[in-house]
Amino acid sequence: MAKECKWLLKEAADQSKVSRLAAEVGIDRVLAELLVKRGVETFEQARAFFRPNLNDLHDPFLMKDMDLAVERLHKAMETGEKILVYGDYDVDGTTAVALVYSYIKRFTSKVDFYIPDRYDEGYGVSIKGIDWAADNGFSLIITLDCGIKAIDKTRHAREKGIDMIICDHHLPEDEIPAAVAVLDPKREDCNYPFDDLSGCGVGFKLVQGYAQKYGQPFESLIPLLDLLVVSISSDLVTMVGENRVLAHYGLKVLNENPGKGLLAMIELSNLEPGHITIDDIVFKIGPRINAAGRMESGRLAVELLTATETGKARLIAEQINDNNNERKNIDREITQEALEMVQSGNCLASQNVTIVYNPKWNKGVVGIVASRLVEAFYKPTVVLTKSNGFVTGSARSVAGFDLYQSIESCADLLENFGGHVYAAGLTLKEENLEEFAARMDSFVAGKITEEMLTPIVEIDSKLDFSQITPKFFRILKQFQPFGPGNGNPVFVTENVYDVGNGRKVGAGGVHLKLDLIQEAQPYHQIAAIAFNMADYYDYIKSGNPLDVCYSIVENYYRGSSTLQIRVRDLREREEII
């Protein structure tokens, strides 16, 4: 059983604001409170929140260097230069490349794309990629989801006679690469009003800027938004502001008229066309696209996402789906091995940080395994393997703990490293491994608190099952699309029972399917799914009472829709303090 979570009821909003908004909009107080906590306090703000509008997108030319980027792209297209669209092998990178490549292809055939090899080149702009571009006559490279730190690579490209337009969303360092244009809303000298775009989002702003400057209707860009919503969802950027507007309309495209590649992926994922949600992207579509770069080549993902023929799209989607199935098998095996290493004490560190190493593990899945170990032990985690003669791997953190800072403290032992607070990658020589593990464990011990080592479920509100009416759920659905900064609300209901239908489901019977009632209101029965909670089966089957915290979701199956609660955590009946 995973480490027990602490339940934390969020602080109440200003009740006078809640009362006023509930009256103005004509909604339940619980919903009004959820809105006030999101900064929505007036009827006008509520209308803007519930009705995202493409007119609220920012002018792309507010982004630093956008004028230079658009002008250089136009010159290349007008004079018949060869343009290379370059991006990373993850979901954000491949969707960004597919979006910009598809757009440029409308105007010129002299465009190609390049995805670096995860094992041979690694993340970001590579010398090999630039040399390939030079050898094949490309004079303009557009980088997507990478490049903001490629100072030497940009210089190398210039020496080879290649201009670069860098489109990135990662934090820059003090020096900005000397490219023709550097589009990154996180630049300190950039006054763009929204700085949390995905890498694909920055690529979209480039094509939006081009269309705006050269008189193409915005409507011509809307078919590209299915790619953008996949990026926004998978890259876990905040689902607020411009991202929320773009994701809202991207979901419409994905549900009503997706590109051939994404449609093939939807069908292979056994999803219900017309009812795709952000969760479906995060858990079904995104991992499959990622699997191409993990197991084979990210280029395959772009070939899928730019496919214009149904048959070709289906063939590539099947290949990627096979990659994903292989990835899941390898991931499962390595996770099991890693868990056993930690439990038997046969690991590099386990006291304050979990560090495991096996030179034979597949480099493509170590990040996923690190996330699994965080779930199991709830400590900062580093999973390492061997590749190209070096020890290399991925690190994942727990809420509130800056893992990047810990890795940075060992910089003198590392060949290279990169990432952010909660996720990072690193490479080192094998002889530095033991010292790295010891120093990491010591550094984490000095910084981490007991509070950080306890997973927290933040609860938005207490709720009785009788309050979950059709109207309540209809309005709650309009809070979508959900994501960081606009999460699916978590409710707690106390003193509930399974009516006797509870059963184990899923491969190996690790999940629970329940029909719950609340003691005070036995006529309000509600279906529930509890993932990875089969350990509670005997307790629940014995008719014992529970407190349960959950989100409310819509479950589509064979054309019919039912309301269901997705259990986040449950516990034996007790008062919440």
Side-chain angles (χ1 to χ4, degrees), residues 190-248:
C190 179
N191 296 319
Y192 192 72
F194 186 74
D195 72 353
D196 202 30
L197 292 167
S198 65
C200 186
V202 178
F204 179 77
K205 296 311 290 189
L206 172 63
V207 303
Q208 185 192 354
Y210 190 91
Q212 192 171 305
K213 174 83 182 280
Y214 293 102
Q216 293 146 18
F218 182 84
E219 287 68 30
S220 68
L221 305 180
I222 288 176
L224 301 170
L225 293 180
D226 57 352
L227 293 165
L228 186 47
V229 71
V230 171
S231 150
I232 290 169
S233 310
S234 302
D235 216 51
L236 299 178
V237 288
T238 50
M239 196 65 79
V240 299
E242 198 162 36
N243 282 342
R244 189 163 176 271
V245 175
L246 290 165
H248 174 86

Side-chain angles (χ1 to χ4, degrees), residues 25-279:
V25 184
I27 56 173
D28 183 292
R29 280 187 69 89
V30 172
L31 295 168
E33 175 140 10
L34 292 173
L35 287 173
V36 171
K37 284 177 179 174
R38 284 162 168 72
V40 176
E41 298 179 1
T42 66
F43 181 84
E44 285 304 315
Q45 288 173 330
R47 184 163 63 184
F49 180 79
F50 286 131
R51 301 284 179 270
N53 195 319
L54 289 167
N55 293 328
D56 293 334
L57 296 181
H58 304 301
D59 181 348
F61 289 96
L62 294 172
M63 196 177 291
K64 172 85 173 163
D65 283 4
M66 182 60 77
D67 51 343
L68 300 172
V70 166
E71 192 180 314
R72 182 66 185 87
L73 176 58
H74 185 64
K75 180 186 169 219
M77 292 204 287
E78 285 289 289
T79 57
E81 290 180 65
K82 288 182 80 176
I83 304 164
L84 187 65
V85 185
Y86 186 117
D88 266 324
Y89 42 73
D90 61 7
V91 181
D92 194 15
T94 52
T95 51
V97 167
L99 188 151
V100 173
Y101 171 80
S102 298
Y103 179 76
I104 293 173
K105 205 163 170 55
R106 294 177 184 178
F107 307 99
T108 175
S109 60
K110 294 191 172 180
V111 58
D112 202 351
F113 59 86
Y114 188 97
I115 306 292
D117 182 86
R118 175 188 284 267
Y119 301 96
D120 184 34
E121 296 164 84
Y123 264 121
V125 183
S126 71
I127 293 290
K128 182 179 176 181
I130 292 167
D131 289 347
W132 184 88
D135 292 345
N136 287 278
F138 291 91
S139 53
L140 176 64
I141 294 176
I142 301 171
T143 77
L144 292 152
D145 190 34
C146 60
I148 195 62
K149 295 181 181 178
I151 291 151
D152 295 341
K153 313 285 178 24
T154 304
R155 195 178 298 123
H156 181 70
R158 180 157 285 180
E159 287 164 3
K160 294 271 185 178
I162 299 172
D163 283 344
M164 283 175 69
I165 295 170
I166 291 170
C167 303
D168 204 347
H169 70 131
H170 295 102
L171 270 173
E173 290 175 345
D174 293 339
E175 187 182 349
I176 299 290
V180 169
V182 179
L183 306 180
D184 188 334
K186 290 190 175 77
R187 284 180 66 166
E188 277 195 22
D189 57 353
C190 179
N191 296 319
Y192 192 72
F194 186 74
D195 72 353
D196 202 30
L197 292 167
S198 65
C200 186
V202 178
F204 179 77
K205 296 311 290 189
L206 172 63
V207 303
Q208 185 192 354
Y210 190 91
Q212 192 171 305
K213 174 83 182 280
Y214 293 102
Q216 293 146 18
F218 182 84
E219 287 68 30
S220 68
L221 305 180
I222 288 176
L224 301 170
L225 293 180
D226 57 352
L227 293 165
L228 186 47
V229 71
V230 171
S231 150
I232 290 169
S233 310
S234 302
D235 216 51
L236 299 178
V237 288
T238 50
M239 196 65 79
V240 299
E242 198 162 36
N243 282 342
R244 189 163 176 271
V245 175
L246 290 165
H248 174 86
Y249 285 92
L251 277 175
K252 278 176 73 73
V253 178
L254 193 63
N255 278 299
E256 293 169 11
N257 191 24
K260 295 280 196 294
L262 282 172
L263 179 60
M265 198 51 82
I266 286 165
E267 289 169 350
L268 275 173
S269 304
N270 295 319
L271 294 171
E272 189 99 10
H275 299 289
I276 311 298
T277 65
I278 297 294
D279 271 1

Side-chain angles (χ1 to χ4, degrees), residues 359-475:
K360 293 178 181 167
W361 284 342
N362 183 301
K363 183 185 172 186
V365 303
V366 291
I368 299 170
V369 174
S371 297
R372 301 259 195 273
L373 294 187
V374 171
E375 285 171 21
F377 304 112
Y378 210 72
K379 288 176 186 174
T381 298
V382 186
V383 177
L384 299 163
T385 185
K386 201 163 191 178
S387 178
N388 295 332
F390 289 97
V391 172
T392 186
S394 291
R396 296 292 183 269
S397 195
V398 295
F401 185 75
D402 187 342
L403 184 63
Y404 187 81
Q405 187 187 30
S406 310
I407 292 169
E408 199 171 34
S409 75
C410 302
D412 57 305
L413 298 172
L414 304 176
E415 298 303 299
N416 55 56
F417 65 97
H420 52 80
V421 174
Y422 294 126
L426 61 150
T427 302
L428 68 158
K429 289 177 179 167
E430 195 159 19
E431 58 260 34
N432 291 334
L433 198 51
E434 281 191 27
E435 190 182 345
F436 168 74
R439 271 171 51 181
M440 277 288 286
D441 199 59
S442 172
F443 188 91
V444 172
K447 297 279 183 184
I448 205 156
T449 64
E450 191 55 43
E451 200 172 39
M452 291 176 193
L453 291 168
T454 306
I456 290 173
V457 178
E458 285 196 291
I459 297 164
D460 290 278
S461 178
K462 289 189 176 187
L463 200 66
D464 288 331
F465 284 167
S466 61
Q467 291 174 272
I468 307 173
T469 63
K471 182 185 178 185
F472 180 93
F473 186 55
R474 191 171 66 247
I475 296 166

Side-chain angles (χ1 to χ4, degrees), residues 290-302:
N290 250 337
R294 290 185 192 281
M295 307 309 298
E296 194 165 337
S297 165
R299 189 172 174 89
L300 202 58
V302 181

